[in-house]
């Protein structure tokens, strides 16, 4: 599942991204509404976590713009105002769900997964070379054999499958599934890919092209 967090409170955005990445979700951050529209124009997201009160362009304006453009991602709107009239107004702007601050992190994750099951972007199952991944149920198989993968391994597998044979760099994996500020010298990405390759089994399917990245 690919998620875009649109939130101008840096600490909250970083905390949410860290938690969702630990769940194996591919996660990017936009600090304002204008940047969110730039990022949605360049990538397909399954769900947006959208703060209503944003600089440059409000969450309501982002909702209207995406709705007008026919952008298929589901939108979970966050707001400090949680009255019934706020909820009705937010949903009327094009949001699919609404969560008032402060909120339970577990509730946020549950709602994101529920929204992803309803996303119209197409099938939720990615497949290549006998590997299949249900990006919502978070289960993977190789030739019908279940793969017992950690959330991070599922996230790496999702990015590799979505690339459809194109290389995925270590930096792309790190930025989407770990903290982008992670020390480039860390072995976290390499160790996770190695573990995923081992669990997928023989014959090996994940290759590494020095200077380009990983391919499946």
């Amino acid at each position: 599942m690919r998620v875009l967090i649109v939130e101008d409170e840096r600490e909250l955005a970083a905390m949410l991204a860290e938690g969702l990445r630990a769940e194996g979700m591919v996660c990017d951050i936009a600090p304002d509404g204008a940047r969110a529209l730039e990022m949605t124009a360049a990538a397909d997201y399954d769900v947006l976590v959208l703060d209503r009160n944003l600089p440059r362009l409000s969450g309501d304006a982002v909702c209207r713009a995406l709705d007008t453009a026919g952008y298929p991602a589901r939108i979970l709107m966050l707001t400090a105002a949680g009255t019934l009239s706020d909820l009705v107004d937010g949903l009327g702007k094009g949001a699919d769900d609404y969560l008032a601050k402060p909120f339970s992190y577990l509730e946020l994750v549950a709602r994101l997964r529920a929204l992803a099951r309803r996303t119209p972007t197409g099938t939720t199952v990615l497949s290549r070379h006998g590997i299949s991944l249900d990006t919502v149920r978070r289960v993977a198989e190789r030739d019908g054999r279940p793969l017992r993968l950690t959330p991070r391994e599922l996230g790496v597998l999702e990015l590799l499958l979505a690339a459809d044979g194109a290389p995925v760099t270590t930096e792309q994996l790190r930025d989407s599934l770990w903290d982008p500020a992670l020390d480039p010298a860390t072995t976290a990405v390499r160790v996770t890919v190695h573990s995923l390759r081992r669990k997928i089994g023989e014959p090996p399917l994940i290759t590494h092209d020095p200077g380009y990245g990983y391919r499946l």
Side-chain angles (χ1 to χ4, degrees), residues 7-211:
E7 172 61 65
D8 63 317
E9 295 182 31
R10 291 187 177 184
E11 290 187 4
L12 175 59
M15 180 189 70
L16 291 177
E18 181 180 2
L20 297 181
R21 287 166 181 154
E23 297 283 340
M25 300 183 194
V26 178
C27 191
D28 298 321
I29 298 174
D32 57 64
R35 179 59 179 150
L37 292 184
E38 292 174 359
M39 294 177 72
T40 54
D44 293 326
Y45 293 95
D46 297 302
V47 183
L48 272 68
V49 178
L50 178 65
D51 186 23
R52 193 170 188 183
N53 299 310
L54 292 167
R56 298 183 66 192
L57 197 65
S58 70
D60 288 352
V62 172
C63 270
R64 287 193 296 268
L66 293 178
D67 185 56
T68 299
Y71 193 78
R74 298 298 185 183
I75 296 175
L76 173 63
M77 186 174 280
L78 299 178
T79 181
T83 67
L84 179 59
S85 61
D86 292 317
L87 186 152
V88 172
D89 189 41
L91 294 178
K93 296 294 191 304
D96 299 283
D97 202 355
Y98 193 96
L99 197 56
K101 299 178 181 178
F103 53 84
S104 162
Y105 172 73
L106 293 178
E107 181 180 4
L108 172 67
V109 172
R111 289 190 182 219
L112 288 179
R113 286 178 171 156
L115 286 173
R117 286 194 291 270
R118 294 159 44 196
T119 187
T121 55
T123 178
T124 61
V125 177
L126 300 173
S127 61
R128 183 175 172 83
H129 297 320
I131 300 288
S132 66
L133 169 65
D134 187 316
T135 61
V136 175
R137 294 174 54 232
R138 312 305 293 163
V139 293
E141 297 179 343
R142 177 173 186 176
D143 298 325
R145 172 177 62 87
L147 299 174
R148 297 181 180 275
L149 305 180
T150 67
R152 295 269 200 223
E153 291 164 355
L154 286 166
V156 170
L157 181 60
E158 180 175 350
L159 283 175
L160 292 176
L161 287 171
D164 197 27
V168 180
T169 67
T170 298
E171 291 73 20
Q172 288 172 317
L173 293 173
R174 185 188 68 219
D175 291 353
S176 295
L177 294 166
W178 283 267
D179 185 341
L182 188 70
D183 185 350
T186 184
T187 61
V189 175
R190 180 170 57 83
V191 168
T192 301
V193 173
H194 176 77
S195 177
L196 174 61
R197 183 186 285 128
R198 177 178 56 80
K199 290 181 180 180
I200 287 175
E202 298 293 335
L205 295 177
I206 298 176
T207 61
H208 182 241
D209 300 327

